[in-house]
PDB file of all heavy atoms in Angstrom:
ATOM      1  N   ASP A  15      90.042 116.169  97.457  1.00  0.00           N
ATOM      2  CA  ASP A  15      91.179 116.084  98.435  1.00  0.00           C
ATOM      3  C   ASP A  15      91.338 114.751  99.053  1.00  0.00           C
ATOM      4  O   ASP A  15      91.942 114.689 100.146  1.00  0.00           O
ATOM      5  CB  ASP A  15      90.930 117.199  99.569  1.00  0.00           C
ATOM      6  CG  ASP A  15      89.610 116.993 100.297  1.00  0.00           C
ATOM      7  OD1 ASP A  15      88.830 116.080  99.940  1.00  0.00           O
ATOM      8  OD2 ASP A  15      89.368 117.725 101.274  1.00  0.00           O
ATOM      9  N   ILE A  16      90.860 113.705  98.457  1.00  0.00           N
ATOM     10  CA  ILE A  16      90.857 112.376  99.093  1.00  0.00           C
ATOM     11  C   ILE A  16      92.073 111.501  98.667  1.00  0.00           C
ATOM     12  O   ILE A  16      92.251 111.251  97.502  1.00  0.00           O
ATOM     13  CB  ILE A  16      89.522 111.628  98.822  1.00  0.00           C
ATOM     14  CG1 ILE A  16      88.408 112.446  99.328  1.00  0.00           C
ATOM     15  CG2 ILE A  16      89.541 110.205  99.428  1.00  0.00           C
ATOM     16  CD1 ILE A  16      88.329 112.596 100.856  1.00  0.00           C
ATOM     17  N   LEU A  17      92.790 111.059  99.634  1.00  0.00           N
ATOM     18  CA  LEU A  17      93.801 110.012  99.430  1.00  0.00           C
ATOM     19  C   LEU A  17      93.063 108.628  99.845  1.00  0.00           C
ATOM     20  O   LEU A  17      92.662 108.492 100.957  1.00  0.00           O
ATOM     21  CB  LEU A  17      95.059 110.115 100.298  1.00  0.00           C
ATOM     22  CG  LEU A  17      95.884 111.401 100.040  1.00  0.00           C
ATOM     23  CD1 LEU A  17      95.475 112.456 100.998  1.00  0.00           C
ATOM     24  CD2 LEU A  17      97.370 111.066 100.192  1.00  0.00           C
ATOM     25  N   ARG A  18      92.962 107.707  98.942  1.00  0.00           N
ATOM     26  CA  ARG A  18      92.191 106.520  99.143  1.00  0.00           C
ATOM     27  C   ARG A  18      93.095 105.340  99.235  1.00  0.00           C
ATOM     28  O   ARG A  18      93.919 105.145  98.347  1.00  0.00           O
ATOM     29  CB  ARG A  18      91.215 106.427  97.951  1.00  0.00           C
ATOM     30  CG  ARG A  18      90.080 105.493  98.242  1.00  0.00           C
ATOM     31  CD  ARG A  18      89.035 105.492  97.087  1.00  0.00           C
ATOM     32  NE  ARG A  18      89.593 105.038  95.802  1.00  0.00           N
ATOM     33  CZ  ARG A  18      88.886 104.544  94.868  1.00  0.00           C
ATOM     34  NH1 ARG A  18      87.625 104.411  94.978  1.00  0.00           N
ATOM     35  NH2 ARG A  18      89.457 104.164  93.753  1.00  0.00           N
ATOM     36  N   PHE A  19      92.900 104.495 100.232  1.00  0.00           N
ATOM     37  CA  PHE A  19      93.637 103.328 100.514  1.00  0.00           C
ATOM     38  C   PHE A  19      92.790 102.069 100.649  1.00  0.00           C
ATOM     39  O   PHE A  19      91.958 102.031 101.520  1.00  0.00           O
ATOM     40  CB  PHE A  19      94.524 103.428 101.779  1.00  0.00           C
ATOM     41  CG  PHE A  19      95.450 104.605 101.741  1.00  0.00           C
ATOM     42  CD1 PHE A  19      95.084 105.883 102.290  1.00  0.00           C
ATOM     43  CD2 PHE A  19      96.701 104.529 101.143  1.00  0.00           C
ATOM     44  CE1 PHE A  19      95.945 106.936 102.170  1.00  0.00           C
ATOM     45  CE2 PHE A  19      97.593 105.648 101.057  1.00  0.00           C
ATOM     46  CZ  PHE A  19      97.165 106.827 101.639  1.00  0.00           C
ATOM     47  N   GLY A  20      92.845 101.153  99.739  1.00  0.00           N
ATOM     48  CA  GLY A  20      92.020 100.023  99.653  1.00  0.00           C
ATOM     49  C   GLY A  20      92.710  98.770 100.294  1.00  0.00           C
ATOM     50  O   GLY A  20      93.903  98.618 100.105  1.00  0.00           O
ATOM     51  N   PHE A  21      91.931  97.925 100.985  1.00  0.00           N
ATOM     52  CA  PHE A  21      92.470  96.772 101.652  1.00  0.00           C
ATOM     53  C   PHE A  21      91.976  95.502 100.988  1.00  0.00           C
ATOM     54  O   PHE A  21      90.749  95.321 100.928  1.00  0.00           O
ATOM     55  CB  PHE A  21      92.098  96.883 103.146  1.00  0.00           C
ATOM     56  CG  PHE A  21      92.647  98.113 103.809  1.00  0.00           C
ATOM     57  CD1 PHE A  21      91.731  99.170 103.968  1.00  0.00           C
ATOM     58  CD2 PHE A  21      93.900  98.164 104.144  1.00  0.00           C
ATOM     59  CE1 PHE A  21      92.237 100.350 104.572  1.00  0.00           C
ATOM     60  CE2 PHE A  21      94.432  99.354 104.741  1.00  0.00           C
ATOM     61  CZ  PHE A  21      93.578 100.429 104.867  1.00  0.00           C
ATOM     62  N   THR A  22      92.873  94.776 100.489  1.00  0.00           N
ATOM     63  CA  THR A  22      92.572  93.503  99.734  1.00  0.00           C
ATOM     64  C   THR A  22      93.222  92.380 100.522  1.00  0.00           C
ATOM     65  O   THR A  22      94.386  92.055 100.356  1.00  0.00           O
ATOM     66  CB  THR A  22      93.131  93.563  98.336  1.00  0.00           C
ATOM     67  OG1 THR A  22      94.446  94.113  98.403  1.00  0.00           O
ATOM     68  CG2 THR A  22      92.250  94.480  97.466  1.00  0.00           C
ATOM     69  N   PRO A  23      92.435  91.798 101.447  1.00  0.00           N
ATOM     70  CA  PRO A  23      93.030  90.880 102.438  1.00  0.00           C
ATOM     71  C   PRO A  23      93.623  89.615 101.835  1.00  0.00           C
ATOM     72  O   PRO A  23      94.476  89.014 102.602  1.00  0.00           O
ATOM     73  CB  PRO A  23      91.763  90.435 103.313  1.00  0.00           C
ATOM     74  CG  PRO A  23      90.858  91.657 103.130  1.00  0.00           C
ATOM     75  CD  PRO A  23      91.036  92.094 101.715  1.00  0.00           C
ATOM     76  N   LEU A  24      93.274  89.213 100.666  1.00  0.00           N
ATOM     77  CA  LEU A  24      93.936  88.053 100.075  1.00  0.00           C
ATOM     78  C   LEU A  24      95.403  88.237  99.763  1.00  0.00           C
ATOM     79  O   LEU A  24      96.199  87.250  99.769  1.00  0.00           O
ATOM     80  CB  LEU A  24      93.229  87.535  98.829  1.00  0.00           C
ATOM     81  CG  LEU A  24      91.740  87.038  99.018  1.00  0.00           C
ATOM     82  CD1 LEU A  24      91.212  86.556  97.729  1.00  0.00           C
ATOM     83  CD2 LEU A  24      91.728  85.939 100.066  1.00  0.00           C
ATOM     84  N   TYR A  25      95.847  89.451  99.603  1.00  0.00           N
ATOM     85  CA  TYR A  25      97.239  89.562  99.241  1.00  0.00           C
ATOM     86  C   TYR A  25      97.943  90.735  99.952  1.00  0.00           C
ATOM     87  O   TYR A  25      99.089  91.041  99.689  1.00  0.00           O
ATOM     88  CB  TYR A  25      97.534  89.733  97.738  1.00  0.00           C
ATOM     89  CG  TYR A  25      96.652  90.775  96.996  1.00  0.00           C
ATOM     90  CD1 TYR A  25      97.069  92.054  97.020  1.00  0.00           C
ATOM     91  CD2 TYR A  25      95.568  90.418  96.288  1.00  0.00           C
ATOM     92  CE1 TYR A  25      96.357  93.022  96.341  1.00  0.00           C
ATOM     93  CE2 TYR A  25      94.812  91.375  95.601  1.00  0.00           C
ATOM     94  CZ  TYR A  25      95.262  92.719  95.668  1.00  0.00           C
ATOM     95  OH  TYR A  25      94.525  93.607  94.923  1.00  0.00           O
ATOM     96  N   LEU A  26      97.320  91.453 100.894  1.00  0.00           N
ATOM     97  CA  LEU A  26      97.862  92.552 101.655  1.00  0.00           C
ATOM     98  C   LEU A  26      98.239  92.079 102.961  1.00  0.00           C
ATOM     99  O   LEU A  26      97.397  91.524 103.756  1.00  0.00           O
ATOM    100  CB  LEU A  26      96.868  93.693 101.724  1.00  0.00           C
ATOM    101  CG  LEU A  26      97.376  94.935 102.438  1.00  0.00           C
ATOM    102  CD1 LEU A  26      98.559  95.589 101.748  1.00  0.00           C
ATOM    103  CD2 LEU A  26      96.276  95.918 102.606  1.00  0.00           C
ATOM    104  N   GLY A  27      99.474  92.303 103.431  1.00  0.00           N
ATOM    105  CA  GLY A  27      99.959  91.917 104.719  1.00  0.00           C
ATOM    106  C   GLY A  27      99.742  92.981 105.756  1.00  0.00           C
ATOM    107  O   GLY A  27      99.598  94.119 105.443  1.00  0.00           O
ATOM    108  N   TYR A  28      99.824  92.595 106.978  1.00  0.00           N
ATOM    109  CA  TYR A  28      99.645  93.564 108.090  1.00  0.00           C
ATOM    110  C   TYR A  28     100.886  94.476 108.239  1.00  0.00           C
ATOM    111  O   TYR A  28     100.716  95.602 108.406  1.00  0.00           O
ATOM    112  CB  TYR A  28      99.441  92.729 109.428  1.00  0.00           C
ATOM    113  CG  TYR A  28      98.034  92.257 109.611  1.00  0.00           C
ATOM    114  CD1 TYR A  28      97.780  90.954 109.270  1.00  0.00           C
ATOM    115  CD2 TYR A  28      97.016  93.035 110.107  1.00  0.00           C
ATOM    116  CE1 TYR A  28      96.491  90.382 109.415  1.00  0.00           C
ATOM    117  CE2 TYR A  28      95.740  92.562 110.327  1.00  0.00           C
ATOM    118  CZ  TYR A  28      95.482  91.211 109.978  1.00  0.00           C
ATOM    119  OH  TYR A  28      94.220  90.672 110.158  1.00  0.00           O
ATOM    120  N   ALA A  29     102.104  93.872 108.127  1.00  0.00           N
ATOM    121  CA  ALA A  29     103.262  94.694 108.280  1.00  0.00           C
ATOM    122  C   ALA A  29     103.337  95.750 107.193  1.00  0.00           C
ATOM    123  O   ALA A  29     103.978  96.775 107.427  1.00  0.00           O
ATOM    124  CB  ALA A  29     104.502  93.840 108.315  1.00  0.00           C
ATOM    125  N   GLU A  30     102.812  95.453 106.040  1.00  0.00           N
ATOM    126  CA  GLU A  30     102.811  96.480 104.966  1.00  0.00           C
ATOM    127  C   GLU A  30     102.035  97.711 105.345  1.00  0.00           C
ATOM    128  O   GLU A  30     102.309  98.851 104.844  1.00  0.00           O
ATOM    129  CB  GLU A  30     102.226  95.842 103.704  1.00  0.00           C
ATOM    130  CG  GLU A  30     103.081  94.770 103.021  1.00  0.00           C
ATOM    131  CD  GLU A  30     102.491  94.237 101.790  1.00  0.00           C
ATOM    132  OE1 GLU A  30     101.378  93.613 101.938  1.00  0.00           O
ATOM    133  OE2 GLU A  30     103.076  94.328 100.705  1.00  0.00           O
ATOM    134  N   LEU A  31     101.062  97.557 106.234  1.00  0.00           N
ATOM    135  CA  LEU A  31     100.359  98.788 106.700  1.00  0.00           C
ATOM    136  C   LEU A  31     101.303  99.710 107.483  1.00  0.00           C
ATOM    137  O   LEU A  31     101.293 100.924 107.220  1.00  0.00           O
ATOM    138  CB  LEU A  31      99.163  98.369 107.583  1.00  0.00           C
ATOM    139  CG  LEU A  31      98.134  97.372 106.996  1.00  0.00           C
ATOM    140  CD1 LEU A  31      97.117  97.030 108.034  1.00  0.00           C
ATOM    141  CD2 LEU A  31      97.533  97.935 105.736  1.00  0.00           C
ATOM    142  N   TRP A  32     102.070  99.103 108.361  1.00  0.00           N
ATOM    143  CA  TRP A  32     103.021  99.953 109.124  1.00  0.00           C
ATOM    144  C   TRP A  32     103.983 100.600 108.207  1.00  0.00           C
ATOM    145  O   TRP A  32     104.316 101.817 108.261  1.00  0.00           O
ATOM    146  CB  TRP A  32     103.770  99.063 110.121  1.00  0.00           C
ATOM    147  CG  TRP A  32     104.488  99.842 111.188  1.00  0.00           C
ATOM    148  CD1 TRP A  32     103.938 100.242 112.435  1.00  0.00           C
ATOM    149  CD2 TRP A  32     105.731 100.432 111.093  1.00  0.00           C
ATOM    150  NE1 TRP A  32     104.870 100.928 113.144  1.00  0.00           N
ATOM    151  CE2 TRP A  32     106.001 101.080 112.364  1.00  0.00           C
ATOM    152  CE3 TRP A  32     106.768 100.435 110.146  1.00  0.00           C
ATOM    153  CZ2 TRP A  32     107.251 101.733 112.608  1.00  0.00           C
ATOM    154  CZ3 TRP A  32     107.957 101.066 110.380  1.00  0.00           C
ATOM    155  CH2 TRP A  32     108.218 101.686 111.627  1.00  0.00           C
ATOM    156  N   ASP A  33     104.513  99.821 107.195  1.00  0.00           N
ATOM    157  CA  ASP A  33     105.515 100.364 106.297  1.00  0.00           C
ATOM    158  C   ASP A  33     104.888 101.526 105.413  1.00  0.00           C
ATOM    159  O   ASP A  33     105.570 102.509 105.182  1.00  0.00           O
ATOM    160  CB  ASP A  33     106.013  99.248 105.315  1.00  0.00           C
ATOM    161  CG  ASP A  33     106.816  98.172 106.097  1.00  0.00           C
ATOM    162  OD1 ASP A  33     107.252  98.443 107.180  1.00  0.00           O
ATOM    163  OD2 ASP A  33     106.955  97.112 105.543  1.00  0.00           O
ATOM    164  N   ALA A  34     103.666 101.375 105.021  1.00  0.00           N
ATOM    165  CA  ALA A  34     103.061 102.399 104.180  1.00  0.00           C
ATOM    166  C   ALA A  34     102.880 103.704 104.960  1.00  0.00           C
ATOM    167  O   ALA A  34     103.128 104.767 104.442  1.00  0.00           O
ATOM    168  CB  ALA A  34     101.664 101.873 103.730  1.00  0.00           C
ATOM    169  N   VAL A  35     102.448 103.598 106.203  1.00  0.00           N
ATOM    170  CA  VAL A  35     102.237 104.775 106.997  1.00  0.00           C
ATOM    171  C   VAL A  35     103.604 105.426 107.345  1.00  0.00           C
ATOM    172  O   VAL A  35     103.771 106.654 107.336  1.00  0.00           O
ATOM    173  CB  VAL A  35     101.467 104.492 108.282  1.00  0.00           C
ATOM    174  CG1 VAL A  35     101.367 105.722 109.191  1.00  0.00           C
ATOM    175  CG2 VAL A  35     100.025 104.062 107.909  1.00  0.00           C
ATOM    176  N   TRP A  36     104.587 104.588 107.545  1.00  0.00           N
ATOM    177  CA  TRP A  36     105.950 105.128 107.750  1.00  0.00           C
ATOM    178  C   TRP A  36     106.482 105.908 106.558  1.00  0.00           C
ATOM    179  O   TRP A  36     107.066 107.062 106.732  1.00  0.00           O
ATOM    180  CB  TRP A  36     106.936 104.037 108.144  1.00  0.00           C
ATOM    181  CG  TRP A  36     108.240 104.509 108.663  1.00  0.00           C
ATOM    182  CD1 TRP A  36     109.409 104.616 108.006  1.00  0.00           C
ATOM    183  CD2 TRP A  36     108.420 105.124 110.008  1.00  0.00           C
ATOM    184  NE1 TRP A  36     110.381 105.119 108.792  1.00  0.00           N
ATOM    185  CE2 TRP A  36     109.790 105.497 110.048  1.00  0.00           C
ATOM    186  CE3 TRP A  36     107.627 105.369 111.048  1.00  0.00           C
ATOM    187  CZ2 TRP A  36     110.380 106.098 111.101  1.00  0.00           C
ATOM    188  CZ3 TRP A  36     108.217 105.923 112.199  1.00  0.00           C
ATOM    189  CH2 TRP A  36     109.549 106.297 112.222  1.00  0.00           C
ATOM    190  N   VAL A  37     106.272 105.417 105.398  1.00  0.00           N
ATOM    191  CA  VAL A  37     106.704 106.124 104.179  1.00  0.00           C
ATOM    192  C   VAL A  37     105.914 107.451 104.082  1.00  0.00           C
ATOM    193  O   VAL A  37     106.490 108.483 103.716  1.00  0.00           O
ATOM    194  CB  VAL A  37     106.441 105.295 102.974  1.00  0.00           C
ATOM    195  CG1 VAL A  37     106.626 106.113 101.693  1.00  0.00           C
ATOM    196  CG2 VAL A  37     107.375 104.081 102.932  1.00  0.00           C
ATOM    197  N   LEU A  38     104.607 107.412 104.402  1.00  0.00           N
ATOM    198  CA  LEU A  38     103.794 108.642 104.333  1.00  0.00           C
ATOM    199  C   LEU A  38     104.343 109.649 105.328  1.00  0.00           C
ATOM    200  O   LEU A  38     104.403 110.853 105.039  1.00  0.00           O
ATOM    201  CB  LEU A  38     102.360 108.287 104.582  1.00  0.00           C
ATOM    202  CG  LEU A  38     101.382 109.437 104.608  1.00  0.00           C
ATOM    203  CD1 LEU A  38     101.437 110.249 103.302  1.00  0.00           C
ATOM    204  CD2 LEU A  38      99.922 108.863 104.769  1.00  0.00           C
ATOM    205  N   LYS A  39     104.690 109.175 106.493  1.00  0.00           N
ATOM    206  CA  LYS A  39     105.263 110.080 107.517  1.00  0.00           C
ATOM    207  C   LYS A  39     106.535 110.707 107.031  1.00  0.00           C
ATOM    208  O   LYS A  39     106.750 111.964 107.174  1.00  0.00           O
ATOM    209  CB  LYS A  39     105.481 109.316 108.859  1.00  0.00           C
ATOM    210  CG  LYS A  39     106.078 110.102 109.943  1.00  0.00           C
ATOM    211  CD  LYS A  39     106.258 109.305 111.214  1.00  0.00           C
ATOM    212  CE  LYS A  39     106.781 110.146 112.352  1.00  0.00           C
ATOM    213  NZ  LYS A  39     106.975 109.310 113.591  1.00  0.00           N
ATOM    214  N   GLU A  40     107.421 109.940 106.407  1.00  0.00           N
ATOM    215  CA  GLU A  40     108.669 110.500 105.889  1.00  0.00           C
ATOM    216  C   GLU A  40     108.397 111.558 104.821  1.00  0.00           C
ATOM    217  O   GLU A  40     109.033 112.581 104.726  1.00  0.00           O
ATOM    218  CB  GLU A  40     109.531 109.375 105.354  1.00  0.00           C
ATOM    219  CG  GLU A  40     110.157 108.481 106.353  1.00  0.00           C
ATOM    220  CD  GLU A  40     111.021 107.391 105.799  1.00  0.00           C
ATOM    221  OE1 GLU A  40     110.854 107.063 104.648  1.00  0.00           O
ATOM    222  OE2 GLU A  40     111.871 106.849 106.539  1.00  0.00           O
ATOM    223  N   ILE A  41     107.479 111.306 103.978  1.00  0.00           N
ATOM    224  CA  ILE A  41     107.115 112.230 102.894  1.00  0.00           C
ATOM    225  C   ILE A  41     106.671 113.550 103.439  1.00  0.00           C
ATOM    226  O   ILE A  41     106.938 114.622 102.994  1.00  0.00           O
ATOM    227  CB  ILE A  41     106.056 111.660 101.945  1.00  0.00           C
ATOM    228  CG1 ILE A  41     106.654 110.530 101.090  1.00  0.00           C
ATOM    229  CG2 ILE A  41     105.363 112.637 101.104  1.00  0.00           C
ATOM    230  CD1 ILE A  41     105.667 109.693 100.376  1.00  0.00           C
ATOM    231  N   MET A  42     105.860 113.466 104.531  1.00  0.00           N
ATOM    232  CA  MET A  42     105.343 114.662 105.103  1.00  0.00           C
ATOM    233  C   MET A  42     106.440 115.477 105.882  1.00  0.00           C
ATOM    234  O   MET A  42     106.491 116.674 105.803  1.00  0.00           O
ATOM    235  CB  MET A  42     104.201 114.319 106.101  1.00  0.00           C
ATOM    236  CG  MET A  42     103.014 113.699 105.448  1.00  0.00           C
ATOM    237  SD  MET A  42     102.368 114.523 103.997  1.00  0.00           S
ATOM    238  CE  MET A  42     101.842 116.049 104.697  1.00  0.00           C
ATOM    239  N   GLU A  43     107.305 114.691 106.491  1.00  0.00           N
ATOM    240  CA  GLU A  43     108.369 115.377 107.335  1.00  0.00           C
ATOM    241  C   GLU A  43     109.431 115.990 106.436  1.00  0.00           C
ATOM    242  O   GLU A  43     109.963 117.099 106.797  1.00  0.00           O
ATOM    243  CB  GLU A  43     109.028 114.357 108.321  1.00  0.00           C
ATOM    244  CG  GLU A  43     108.074 113.993 109.448  1.00  0.00           C
ATOM    245  CD  GLU A  43     108.704 113.019 110.408  1.00  0.00           C
ATOM    246  OE1 GLU A  43     109.672 112.405 110.089  1.00  0.00           O
ATOM    247  OE2 GLU A  43     108.041 112.815 111.491  1.00  0.00           O
ATOM    248  N   ASP A  44     109.788 115.330 105.383  1.00  0.00           N
ATOM    249  CA  ASP A  44     110.828 115.992 104.490  1.00  0.00           C
ATOM    250  C   ASP A  44     110.267 116.771 103.364  1.00  0.00           C
ATOM    251  O   ASP A  44     110.978 117.325 102.546  1.00  0.00           O
ATOM    252  CB  ASP A  44     111.783 114.864 103.909  1.00  0.00           C
ATOM    253  CG  ASP A  44     111.104 113.879 102.926  1.00  0.00           C
ATOM    254  OD1 ASP A  44     110.001 114.161 102.493  1.00  0.00           O
ATOM    255  OD2 ASP A  44     111.690 112.805 102.711  1.00  0.00           O
ATOM    256  N   ARG A  45     108.900 116.835 103.306  1.00  0.00           N
ATOM    257  CA  ARG A  45     108.183 117.638 102.344  1.00  0.00           C
ATOM    258  C   ARG A  45     108.506 117.267 100.849  1.00  0.00           C
ATOM    259  O   ARG A  45     108.432 118.097  99.907  1.00  0.00           O
ATOM    260  CB  ARG A  45     108.411 119.110 102.517  1.00  0.00           C
ATOM    261  CG  ARG A  45     107.780 119.649 103.786  1.00  0.00           C
ATOM    262  CD  ARG A  45     107.901 121.221 103.912  1.00  0.00           C
ATOM    263  NE  ARG A  45     107.176 121.861 102.808  1.00  0.00           N
ATOM    264  CZ  ARG A  45     105.939 122.223 102.741  1.00  0.00           C
ATOM    265  NH1 ARG A  45     105.190 121.859 103.793  1.00  0.00           N
ATOM    266  NH2 ARG A  45     105.417 122.843 101.757  1.00  0.00           N
ATOM    267  N   SER A  46     108.883 116.019 100.724  1.00  0.00           N
ATOM    268  CA  SER A  46     109.179 115.592  99.288  1.00  0.00           C
ATOM    269  C   SER A  46     107.956 115.569  98.361  1.00  0.00           C
ATOM    270  O   SER A  46     108.052 115.564  97.197  1.00  0.00           O
ATOM    271  CB  SER A  46     109.859 114.177  99.280  1.00  0.00           C
ATOM    272  OG  SER A  46     108.965 113.272  99.949  1.00  0.00           O
ATOM    273  N   TRP A  47     106.726 115.586  99.054  1.00  0.00           N
ATOM    274  CA  TRP A  47     105.528 115.686  98.259  1.00  0.00           C
ATOM    275  C   TRP A  47     105.415 117.019  97.470  1.00  0.00           C
ATOM    276  O   TRP A  47     104.629 117.001  96.470  1.00  0.00           O
ATOM    277  CB  TRP A  47     104.282 115.561  99.186  1.00  0.00           C
ATOM    278  CG  TRP A  47     104.132 116.649 100.224  1.00  0.00           C
ATOM    279  CD1 TRP A  47     104.615 116.610 101.462  1.00  0.00           C
ATOM    280  CD2 TRP A  47     103.587 117.958 100.057  1.00  0.00           C
ATOM    281  NE1 TRP A  47     104.401 117.774 102.169  1.00  0.00           N
ATOM    282  CE2 TRP A  47     103.734 118.607 101.258  1.00  0.00           C
ATOM    283  CE3 TRP A  47     102.948 118.622  98.963  1.00  0.00           C
ATOM    284  CZ2 TRP A  47     103.232 119.955 101.533  1.00  0.00           C
ATOM    285  CZ3 TRP A  47     102.507 119.932  99.186  1.00  0.00           C
ATOM    286  CH2 TRP A  47     102.685 120.568 100.385  1.00  0.00           C
ATOM    287  N   ASP A  48     106.166 117.976  97.928  1.00  0.00           N
ATOM    288  CA  ASP A  48     106.025 119.350  97.332  1.00  0.00           C
ATOM    289  C   ASP A  48     106.955 119.519  96.091  1.00  0.00           C
ATOM    290  O   ASP A  48     107.072 120.674  95.639  1.00  0.00           O
ATOM    291  CB  ASP A  48     106.312 120.447  98.337  1.00  0.00           C
ATOM    292  CG  ASP A  48     105.693 121.744  98.029  1.00  0.00           C
ATOM    293  OD1 ASP A  48     104.723 121.691  97.202  1.00  0.00           O
ATOM    294  OD2 ASP A  48     106.104 122.757  98.624  1.00  0.00           O
ATOM    295  N   ARG A  49     107.584 118.494  95.611  1.00  0.00           N
ATOM    296  CA  ARG A  49     108.416 118.582  94.456  1.00  0.00           C
ATOM    297  C   ARG A  49     107.546 118.841  93.231  1.00  0.00           C
ATOM    298  O   ARG A  49     106.376 118.319  93.148  1.00  0.00           O
ATOM    299  CB  ARG A  49     109.238 117.374  94.173  1.00  0.00           C
ATOM    300  CG  ARG A  49     110.247 117.073  95.286  1.00  0.00           C
ATOM    301  CD  ARG A  49     110.903 115.727  95.121  1.00  0.00           C
ATOM    302  NE  ARG A  49     111.847 115.414  96.174  1.00  0.00           N
ATOM    303  CZ  ARG A  49     112.365 114.189  96.441  1.00  0.00           C
ATOM    304  NH1 ARG A  49     112.000 113.190  95.629  1.00  0.00           N
ATOM    305  NH2 ARG A  49     113.160 113.984  97.479  1.00  0.00           N
ATOM    306  N   PRO A  50     108.004 119.585  92.271  1.00  0.00           N
ATOM    307  CA  PRO A  50     107.167 120.003  91.141  1.00  0.00           C
ATOM    308  C   PRO A  50     106.579 118.819  90.350  1.00  0.00           C
ATOM    309  O   PRO A  50     105.401 118.853  89.922  1.00  0.00           O
ATOM    310  CB  PRO A  50     108.116 120.791  90.217  1.00  0.00           C
ATOM    311  CG  PRO A  50     109.204 121.346  91.136  1.00  0.00           C
ATOM    312  CD  PRO A  50     109.366 120.317  92.224  1.00  0.00           C
ATOM    313  N   GLU A  51     107.342 117.697  90.254  1.00  0.00           N
ATOM    314  CA  GLU A  51     106.838 116.539  89.457  1.00  0.00           C
ATOM    315  C   GLU A  51     105.592 115.953  90.094  1.00  0.00           C
ATOM    316  O   GLU A  51     104.796 115.283  89.447  1.00  0.00           O
ATOM    317  CB  GLU A  51     107.937 115.530  89.274  1.00  0.00           C
ATOM    318  CG  GLU A  51     108.493 114.842  90.553  1.00  0.00           C
ATOM    319  CD  GLU A  51     109.702 115.571  91.115  1.00  0.00           C
ATOM    320  OE1 GLU A  51     109.832 116.791  90.866  1.00  0.00           O
ATOM    321  OE2 GLU A  51     110.503 114.852  91.827  1.00  0.00           O
ATOM    322  N   HIS A  52     105.491 116.102  91.382  1.00  0.00           N
ATOM    323  CA  HIS A  52     104.341 115.486  92.078  1.00  0.00           C
ATOM    324  C   HIS A  52     103.058 116.382  91.996  1.00  0.00           C
ATOM    325  O   HIS A  52     101.934 115.824  92.272  1.00  0.00           O
ATOM    326  CB  HIS A  52     104.646 115.254  93.566  1.00  0.00           C
ATOM    327  CG  HIS A  52     105.724 114.286  93.801  1.00  0.00           C
ATOM    328  ND1 HIS A  52     105.916 113.149  92.992  1.00  0.00           N
ATOM    329  CD2 HIS A  52     106.797 114.251  94.729  1.00  0.00           C
ATOM    330  CE1 HIS A  52     106.994 112.477  93.368  1.00  0.00           C
ATOM    331  NE2 HIS A  52     107.537 113.129  94.456  1.00  0.00           N
TER     332      HIS A  52
END
């Protein structure tokens, strides 16, 4: 049941963290994760 997120500081930006969590929030709120293909 683990979603794993790795941090690679040489090429990962800070603002990308906010963007990633925001996308995850949208997926949970609109339940797009529950589509059959996923």
Side-chain angles (χ1 to χ4, degrees):
D15 60 355
I16 298 295
L17 297 95
R18 196 172 65 154
F19 301 93
F21 302 97
T22 45
L24 293 182
Y25 53 80
L26 180 66
Y28 283 96
E30 289 180 297
L31 305 178
W32 195 94
D33 294 341
V35 174
W36 190 257
V37 171
L38 181 53
K39 181 179 181 180
E40 290 182 337
I41 286 168
M42 299 309 296
E43 289 180 346
D44 66 17
R45 292 186 61 85
S46 57
W47 61 266
D48 205 17
R49 294 173 185 167
E51 63 268 26
H52 297 322

